[in-house]
Structure formats: C-alpha cells, structure tokens
Amino acid sequence: MEAPNISKATLSSRICAEPPLRNLEARLAKYMGTEEAIIYSYDLATVPSVIPAFANAKDVLVCDEGVSWAIQNGCILSRARIRPFKHNDMNDLRKVLQQEAADHKRQRKPLNRRFVVIEGVYAGSGDIAPMDEIFKLKEEFCYRLVVDESNALGVLGKRGRGACEHFGLEPEQVEIVTATMGNALSSVGGFCCGNHEMVDHQRLSGLGYCFSASLPPYLATAAIGALDVLESRWDPLREQLQHNAKTIRSMLADIQGLRLLGSDADALSAVIHLQPSNGALDAQQIVSDLLESGVCISCQERSCLEIRQRPPTIRVVVTAAHEPQDLQQVADALRRAAQHLQS
Amino acid sequence: MSQESDAPFFRALTALIAWSILFSFGHLRDFVRKWVLWNRGPGTRKGYAPIRQDYEDFYTRRLYYRIHDCLNRPIASAPGSWIDMVERTPPSGQKLLVPTGKIRRCLNLGSYNYLGFAAADEYCTPRVLQALTDHGWSMCASRAELGTTPKHVELERCVARFLGKEAAITFGMGFATNSAIIPLLVSKGCLIISDALNHASIVAGSRGSGAKVRVFRHNDVEHLEALLRDSISAGQPRTHRPWRKILIIVEGIYSMEGEIVALPEIVALKKKYGAYLFLDEAHSIGALGKTGRGAAEHWGVDTADVDVMMGTFTKSFGAAGGYIASSRAVVDYVRAQGPANLTATAMSPPIAEQIMAALDLIQGKDGSTRGAEKLQCLQDNALYFRQGLQKMGCAVLGTGASPIVPLMLYMPSNMTVFSRQCLKANIAVVVVGFPATPLLGTRVRFCLSASHTRQDLDYALKHIAGIANACLLPVHGSRADSKQALLKS
C-alpha cells in the first residue's frame, strides 16, 4: 500500500476529489447497487450533512428515539419539525404518521418533504430495525426513508449491503442510505449513496462535503481493499460472522444481572448490548474486571448532549475472525464478573 | 472588507447587471421549458414533494451546470506546489464531466498547503510509513472505546505543549471539531457572539447548541463591544435573566478574506465584559507567528487569555483532523462527554504521526533549520505575491502576513474566464462566487505555500497579469495588449 501523502490540504469540493476518492465513490455505488455515492471525511459529519441538505423548517422528520447522536444532531441542524416514535415500535410509528397526516390536512399546508429516519442496526442498542414494515408504512404515507447502515453494512444481507437487503428491499427503494467506513470497511469516514439527483445535490449542499478537507487518499485505498474482500469472499465471511453472532447472543442471554437488549429477531446483529439490571452492577466496573481476565470489551458511555438519556451499557462486538473458544471465554468471563460483583 | 458597499460603483453596477441577466435568462428559459415545451423536468412520485427546493433546483440547473468544470476538479497527485490535474470534457448541459485521460501539470495556488507538508517529505514520510506498519490505518472503534493508541496520547501532549495550554484533545475531522464541540461548551441560556464571516462549521456548531447567537460585523471590534454591552444589559430574551455564559467566537485567519483577527482588542473586550473567547485557528496555526504558533503569537497575546483554542491539522500540517486546547477541566469534560470522542472512529494513527513529525520539524526537533526556513519562506512568499498583485493594480483583500490572498473579480463571468484561462496557463486556482460570498464578492483565492519557489511565483504573476488585464481587473495600467495576452496564454 502506498501512503506517501497523508493529506490533500484542499477542500474536497474545489480541486480535490482525486482518483482514489473517485474510484472509491464508484466502487461504493456499485457495491450498494445505486447510481452514485458521495464520501465524507468523517462518520460523525455524514448524517449531520445529509439531513440538512434535504430538509428545512417546512419539512418533517419522523425519527426513531434510539438513533445515535449524529442523527439527532442532523435533525436539529435541519431545523425541520422532529416527531419521535418509540424505538422499533411499529404501532407507534403508524400512530405518529397518522397524526402528522391529520395535522397536515387540518392546517392545509403545502406539500412538504417528509422523511422517516432510522438506523439499520442501532449502534446504541444493537437491535435491527424491522425494515419491511417500516418500508410499507413509509410507502403508505408517502415518506422518504433515511437509513444509517453503519452497523449493518458488511453484516446483514445477501451481499452484505445491510438491513435493507436483509429484508429484501431493492437498492434505491430506500432513498437515502448512509454508513460509516470505520466499521466493516476498516477505514475512516462515511458515505451516502442514492440516485444521481440525491447525491449530486449534496456536492453543493452537504456542509461536511463543501466545507471540509477530503478524506486522505490512503484511507480511500484501504476502503477499496475492504470492498474487494467483501465482493470476493463474502459468503464464507458472512457464514462465520452470523454463526458467531448467534452463538454469543445465546451464550449471553441468560447471565444473571445483565439484560441483553433486543429480541430473537436481532440474532444476526454483530453488536450486542448488555444492560446491568441489578443496582449492584456497574458497567464500567465489569469492563475493567474483564480486562484483567484477558477479555477486552467496552462500556458505552452516552454523551450528555443526547436528547434521551440512557444508562451506560456493556458493548460486545463479534467479528468473523473470532473462534468458538474466544466466544466461550467472553461469556464465561462476563458471567464470573457479574456473579462476583453481585455476591 | 467584504462588504458589498466596498465594491467600486461601476464594478458593482456591472456585476449587478450581469447577475440580473443570468437570473432573468434562467427564469425565461424555465418559463419556456415549462409552458411552451411542456417539460416539467424529472417527475417526482405522486404524493412526494420534489427533493430539491425550487431555488436550489434553479441554481443548480441554470448557474451551477454552466460553470461546473471550474469546481470539483479532480487531481491525480499529492497537492504539492505543482499538481497533476485530470482533464475533463467541456461542460454540456447537465451531463457529467468525463475525464479525457490526459493529465495537466499545474502550479498549485489553491491548496492550503501552507508549510509544504502535503507532498512527501524526507523527514515526515518515513515516520508516517513506520506508524502505518506498527499501528495499521484504522482503529475501527471510537477513542473512548478501543481506539486510543500511544500515538493519540502523545499527539495530544505535543499539541498542548506547542500551544502552551494545559491540555488538548484531538478529533478525526476539523469540521466536526467545531460542529460537535461547540454544543458541549454552550447551551440554552447562553449567548454566542460570532463574527459575521465565521466558517460553516462554527455556524453548524452554534446552531446545534441551542444557545442564542448574535453576529457582529466582520472584525469590527466596536460593533462587538456594542453587542456585548447591549446583550449584557438586556439579558436573556423575555425573562431578562443574566446570560449563563457568553462565548465570543472568532477565527485566526478568515478563509475567504485572508484577514487576521484583531485579537488584542478582542481579548481586552472579553476581559472587560467577562466573556469567554473561542479562537478557531484552522488557517492560522502553523501559518502565522515567528514559530508558527498562530494568531496569538502573531499579536503577542498570551495563550492563557484565549479560553478555548481550536484548530485543524488539515492545512499547515498536511494531515487531517482538529484539536481543542484549553484548561484541563474543559478538555476532560469534552473527553468524557463529546460525541466525537465517544462514537466517531478514532483518528488514523499514521495521520497522528504526520502531525507530530510536522510539529517536530517546525520546532527544529529534527536537528535542522528546515522548519524555521519553511515558516520564513511562507511569510516571504505571501508578501511577495500580494505585493505583485497590488502592483498590477488589482483589488486584493487581507493583510500582509496572511498566506491567503483573495483577488476580487466582481463579475460572475470573470469567475469562469479566470479559472479556465489559468488552467490553460497551467495554474490551478480556486474561484468562489455567490452564494459562498456576497453577490458582488466574486473572487479568486490564492493560497501561498512555503514550497513555492520564487520562479513559481514569478511564473504565476506573469500569467495572472495577462488574464487580469483581459478581465479588466486592474484599476489602472494598460489594457491595450489584453487581447494579445489572452491569446498568448
């Protein structure tokens, strides 16, 4: 791999979308099955640039309560009307959409842009969004769908495209798909893909694109390398990863004092969150105890900026590279630590 | 400087006429398309509003696509003093520009490569490659989770020491440093007093914070004082309670104007009225001051008087990312609560190494005087180039030491002519027009670098003189040979 030049030291929108970046955009679009893709140099700036490019004070964002801070920030920056619905609760989503439609009709407002904003796999809780039902609802109420696939890309779907593919949706049926390149693509940055009009508009209106330096090219090359692997060796990787995810989830389901977030429907998600259900257990304490027994997992702290305050959780992430005995070791260590702290 | 009234009367008049012709022809063509040709553009699905708003759509179709060959230009090399530009097909309607496969070697006057660290460097590059071998390229985790390496810790210590602050924290992107950290510093019940020309990331951060924002005229210290007095005496809107916190946000060098902030006066004001000061040194760190320590050093202001120092590594250091340097309490708070620290992917370790290598070089820790020479060379180049343009009689913004030299073009059509002719003469420049600037503020922005040689600058000045004459930019000087100059270039 060549890495002589770290920076482009230029604005991406001015003279610096150079070949590795152009290549990566083309490759991402091909991989995701969309017309075009656009790269942002940081995952945290991706959604906060995409949403304000398409929504303003006249528009409506119906947003899951469990979305990450980046999406919350994007919603706030757009100044659009934000209507939250209960996390992964389709009845509540329907209720909110109906209410919004009724309000709109009563106030006789002109037709505005409406979006449902969700994550494919929620970073904060590790569960999968029921995309099939959400898609039906959004079609029924004429909403556009924004999905952040950060934790679903390279995890779910026949080709690894994420939650949309997992639920049998075609590319571009979901209007705006974003994801970070920092997870499955083992690089840095984020991207958004969709049809030509959707992406081209961001080249003029996406704040994080117009007003920031572009991604260092060597990181684009790294992401292209990861895409090569995903395209050529996805099937064995997927089998291994899904097997590992299912195994560890079943192992962690019955630890006393630690509640596994999500349900059986989320078995394929590679992100697992455990919430201490017993007051004696402190997530941070468990994580540092585990470190001593040679297992490194993390405690996810939440920022005070998040709209809905949530307690810290223990986060376990499995990869395709883990062996069965690794998973057993994690489960045993967690069980021991929980028992030890409760006694 | 950038106020619209500053444009000479004749220039303003012609520019306004040009803009109105552009807009009225655009609307006329839209009218014909809509009502005569009955073409309603790409239809949207029933029940959905068009994804682009009317005016955005109009701007894109009627203005942007006419000049989009001057923007988004792909380059095929590192942005050193000379770069390889990818040649593309000329614009035609809304068609995508396709690379022709040819490469054009151009003098680079557009990259923020102030100290020349963007291209391979004999001291920095080996260290970067070593870091790449040792630590890989991605942490695949956030800093707060499993993304902190010794490189990150060392980098933060280096930055804090360089700036003379207690502590520092770094992030993977400069834009996000502002947009994600300002909401942590101020919130509802606080007041942000912001310069009119502050960068989009500061605007995003202020908007996301929920604080009240008041804007003072660009670099106008009297207006700032008036706003401070007024805000303090009136208190919060409606309740008239005192503000919880007042934060003044300014930049070290303004990227579109090339102007240096009036720091000593602003520090005096912040002390007088008990406000906090947030200084964004995105363009000034490494580029200003005798040892590259930014606006504070340039003015001889003690960095202890600036409460929060923010900056980026993208420009002078040839890397990526941003930092916040402040008191230990503030940095610890940002570390514990900042979403950029808790959820975003950590900075790539080779980038951290590049920054440290550049910092070491600037401070002479490599044992040579190359760093000091670079700093001196940048100042000399900036001054030489600015004076060269001024001698031509062109309207140039900014102040002496600033490496950003904006040249006013006024007319929107000059933007394309200037950019295309420069490319023909093998000079890569960045042109900026409405809506990034005021309507009459169309300009070309030259960025000088320590890696430019005197020959490079003479070459640029020679060709720019011809093109500027052809665009009727100089206030005085001969215009007789303008046509010939244009043909020759």
Side-chain angles (χ1 to χ4, degrees):
Chain A
M1 215 181 83
E2 285 177 283
N5 318 302
I6 288 289
S7 163
K8 296 333 292 176
T10 358
L11 290 174
S12 50
S13 64
R14 303 282 146 67
I15 28 180
C16 187
E18 72 141 54
L21 298 181
R22 282 282 152 105
N23 282 345
L24 178 57
E25 285 181 350
R27 286 292 300 276
L28 281 170
K30 191 175 140 237
Y31 179 70
M32 298 298 285
T34 57
E35 264 180 7
E36 250 185 86
I38 176 171
I39 300 171
Y40 291 87
S41 53
Y42 203 42
D43 40 8
L44 199 73
T46 308
V47 184
S49 304
V50 175
I51 295 179
F54 295 109
N56 63 23
K58 289 192 249 97
D59 304 319
V60 178
L61 301 166
V62 176
C63 184
D64 189 289
E65 275 183 351
V67 293
S68 63
W69 181 81
I71 300 181
Q72 297 172 16
N73 184 235
C75 293
I76 291 170
L77 288 182
S78 73
R79 288 183 171 162
R81 199 164 125 89
I82 305 168
R83 299 290 311 260
F85 67 94
K86 287 201 191 93
H87 178 54
N88 267 355
D89 183 341
M90 289 307 106
N91 293 329
D92 195 45
L93 173 59
R94 176 174 280 279
K95 215 170 75 196
V96 169
L97 292 176
Q98 276 167 345
Q99 245 173 35
E100 191 52 45
D103 281 0
H104 194 264
K105 204 168 172 192
R106 201 183 57 240
Q107 294 169 354
R108 295 209 190 112
K109 279 194 245 164
L111 190 61
N112 55 0
R113 295 174 288 188
R114 306 161 195 159
F115 299 87
V116 175
V117 188
I118 54 165
E119 281 179 65
V121 169
Y122 285 89
S125 48
D127 42 7
I128 303 175
M131 295 284 298
D132 44 353
E133 289 175 54
I134 293 174
F135 185 75
K136 266 187 228 141
L137 280 173
K138 82 113 190 154
E139 287 287 291
E140 186 184 332
F141 289 92
C142 293
Y143 275 66
R144 289 185 172 95
L145 191 53
V146 182
V147 184
D148 184 35
E149 297 269 31
S150 292
N151 287 290
L153 181 79
V155 176
L156 297 178
K158 218 167 69 192
R159 265 161 289 189
R161 282 175 185 164
C164 304
E165 198 188 34
H166 178 66
F167 285 98
L169 301 181
E170 294 295 317
E172 290 194 17
Q173 272 192 327
V174 173
E175 285 81 0
I176 301 175
V177 175
T178 65
T180 168
M181 297 195 281
N183 295 350
L185 297 184
S186 63
S187 180
V188 175
F191 69 91
C192 171
C193 55
N195 63 28
H196 170 71
E197 191 188 14
M198 199 74 81
V199 171
D200 210 39
H201 181 57
Q202 289 175 44
R203 296 192 198 278
L204 278 176
S205 313
L207 286 180
Y209 184 83
C210 296
F211 295 104
S212 169
S214 54
L215 188 72
Y218 82 101
L219 290 171
T221 313
I224 292 176
L227 281 175
D228 284 340
V229 175
L230 273 182
E231 280 170 1
S232 59
R233 285 194 278 132
W234 169 239
D235 284 327
L237 278 175
R238 177 174 73 146
E239 225 157 82
Q240 189 61 43
L241 177 62
Q242 297 193 343
H243 176 258
N244 283 353
K246 278 187 210 158
T247 317
I248 189 126
R249 212 168 254 271
S250 63
M251 283 173 175
L252 298 180
D254 58 343
I255 295 180
Q256 255 222 313
L258 291 177
R259 191 168 66 87
L260 183 75
L261 298 184
S263 64
D264 291 344
D266 309 315
L268 295 180
S269 157
V271 185
I272 295 142
H273 280 267
L274 295 163
Q275 195 169 51
S277 52
N278 186 329
L281 289 177
D282 174 36
Q284 196 67 54
Q285 183 65 40
I286 293 180
V287 169
S288 39
D289 277 8
L290 247 67
L291 198 60
E292 273 166 31
S293 50
V295 174
C296 195
I297 54 176
S298 63
C299 163
Q300 193 164 39
E301 300 275 355
R302 324 275 174 178
S303 165
C304 61
L305 290 178
E306 292 206 18
I307 295 168
R308 204 169 56 110
Q309 288 304 311
R310 293 177 280 190
T313 51
I314 299 169
R315 198 189 63 157
V316 180
V317 183
V318 288
T319 72
H322 285 127
E323 301 287 334
Q325 64 267 27
D326 298 338
L327 305 181
Q328 192 61 52
Q329 192 191 349
V330 175
D332 290 347
L334 262 172
R335 186 166 288 124
R336 262 202 313 275
Q339 256 170 15
H340 174 70
L341 282 174
Q342 281 176 97
S343 61
Chain B
M1 279 295 223
S2 73
Q3 304 303 315
E4 292 186 23
S5 54
D6 282 359
F9 177 73
F10 180 70
R11 304 264 186 208
L13 188 71
T14 45
L16 275 179
I17 291 172
W19 276 111
S20 32
I21 291 174
L22 270 172
F23 275 100
S24 30
F25 264 84
H27 281 296
L28 187 70
R29 288 180 64 178
D30 269 12
F31 180 82
V32 171
R33 188 176 86 144
K34 198 169 173 186
W35 297 105
V36 181
L37 303 175
W38 210 250
N39 175 357
R40 298 297 170 96
T44 37
R45 292 170 63 192
K46 196 168 176 290
Y48 288 81
I51 190 71
R52 281 193 299 212
Q53 292 192 305
D54 271 357
Y55 65 89
E56 289 168 342
D57 184 48
F58 175 83
Y59 179 82
T60 313
R61 277 185 297 108
R62 296 293 177 218
L63 303 173
Y64 172 67
Y65 278 120
R66 284 165 173 265
I67 59 162
H68 69 147
D69 62 314
C70 301
L71 308 159
N72 274 314
R73 278 189 182 143
I75 71 169
S77 71
S81 52
W82 287 79
I83 46 172
D84 294 336
M85 307 282 289
V86 176
E87 285 198 5
R88 295 184 295 179
T89 49
S92 145
Q94 298 190 19
K95 280 191 209 117
L96 280 178
L97 302 172
V98 189
T100 57
K102 269 192 248 159
I103 296 284
R104 189 183 270 274
R105 190 104 181 118
C106 290
L107 177 66
N108 184 2
L109 287 177
S111 300
Y112 302 130
N113 174 24
Y114 299 136
L115 294 178
F117 284 117
D121 184 274
E122 59 196 84
Y123 176 71
C124 302
T125 310
R127 279 182 61 173
V128 171
L129 289 173
Q130 190 56 46
L132 184 68
T133 326
D134 293 348
H135 297 276
W137 53 88
S138 172
M139 301 315 298
C140 293
S142 71
R143 286 290 306 281
E145 280 154 359
L146 300 174
T148 304
T149 66
K151 295 278 170 219
H152 293 98
V153 181
E154 207 183 319
L155 170 65
E156 286 171 358
R157 212 175 299 140
C158 274
V159 170
R161 213 179 309 133
F162 182 67
L163 293 167
K165 296 297 272 188
E166 264 179 26
I169 179 167
T170 58
F171 306 98
M173 184 197 198
F175 185 93
T177 306
N178 274 336
S179 68
I181 300 308
I182 294 175
L184 272 178
L185 301 176
V186 282
S187 57
K188 224 166 181 251
C190 302
L191 173 70
I192 292 175
I193 303 190
S194 175
D195 189 285
L197 295 176
N198 271 348
H199 189 252
S201 55
I202 296 177
V203 176
S206 314
R207 208 195 267 184
S209 70
K212 174 103 180 96
V213 183
R214 297 193 74 175
V215 176
F216 67 95
R217 279 193 297 272
H218 172 56
N219 230 355
D220 184 339
V221 182
E222 278 163 32
H223 191 209
L224 171 63
E225 178 158 23
L227 270 188
L228 273 168
R229 273 167 176 275
D230 187 48
S231 310
I232 290 171
S233 60
Q236 293 185 32
R238 283 202 299 278
T239 59
H240 301 292
R241 286 207 200 109
W243 298 97
R244 288 175 47 212
K245 213 185 288 176
I246 298 178
L247 183 68
I248 303 169
I249 306 186
V250 290
E251 287 185 43
I253 293 183
Y254 291 87
S255 63
M256 287 290 170
E257 314 296 310
E259 269 191 354
I260 301 171
V261 66
L263 198 59
E265 291 89 337
I266 292 177
V267 166
L269 279 184
K270 92 145 205 147
K271 281 186 180 161
K272 185 170 165 195
Y273 292 96
Y276 292 96
L277 181 59
F278 182 105
L279 175 65
D280 176 343
E281 299 225 68
H283 290 272
S284 51
I285 189 74
L288 276 188
K290 200 159 178 308
T291 58
R293 284 175 165 80
E297 191 187 26
H298 174 80
W299 289 112
V301 170
D302 186 0
T303 50
D305 289 337
V306 182
D307 301 283
V308 183
M309 300 183 79
M310 179 269 167
T312 66
F313 304 121
T314 324
K315 283 98 187 180
S316 302
F317 303 119
Y323 64 80
I324 297 275
S326 186
S327 66
R328 189 165 300 282
V330 170
V331 170
D332 284 348
Y333 164 67
V334 169
R335 202 183 294 282
Q337 300 290 348
N341 202 47
L342 296 176
T343 60
T345 318
M347 183 189 275
S348 173
I351 294 181
E353 186 65 36
Q354 162 75 20
I355 301 162
M356 281 188 281
L359 278 172
D360 284 352
L361 199 73
I362 294 176
Q363 296 173 81
K365 285 187 186 163
D366 65 321
S368 76
T369 53
R370 276 178 60 220
E373 282 160 20
K374 272 176 184 287
L375 288 163
Q376 188 56 45
C377 185
L378 175 66
Q379 310 254 314
D380 293 347
N381 281 350
L383 214 59
Y384 181 76
F385 192 76
R386 182 183 297 277
Q387 282 168 353
L389 289 180
Q390 277 162 348
K391 264 184 228 150
M392 274 176 224
C394 296
V396 182
L397 300 186
T399 25
S402 148
I404 302 176
V405 185
L407 166 65
M408 295 307 289
L409 298 175
Y410 305 112
M411 290 277 278
S413 51
N414 276 348
M415 203 164 127
T416 33
V417 174
F418 201 93
S419 174
R420 285 174 193 161
Q421 291 300 330
C422 276
L423 192 65
K424 249 189 191 170
N426 294 333
I427 302 171
V429 295
V430 172
V431 285
V432 205
F434 180 77
T437 65
L439 200 56
L440 306 178
T442 307
R443 69 196 65 175
V444 52
R445 189 183 49 178
F446 301 109
C447 294
L448 278 303
S449 162
S451 63
H452 289 138
T453 60
R454 206 31 74 85
Q455 288 104 301
D456 290 343
L457 296 184
D458 286 334
Y459 171 85
L461 285 171
K462 191 184 95 196
H463 285 280
I464 288 166
I467 299 163
N469 269 326
C471 294
L472 307 181
L473 292 182
V475 187
H476 52 79
S478 73
R479 285 177 197 148
D481 55 351
S482 63
K483 258 199 178 145
Q484 248 140 28
L486 191 57
L487 286 174
K488 249 191 267 169
S489 67

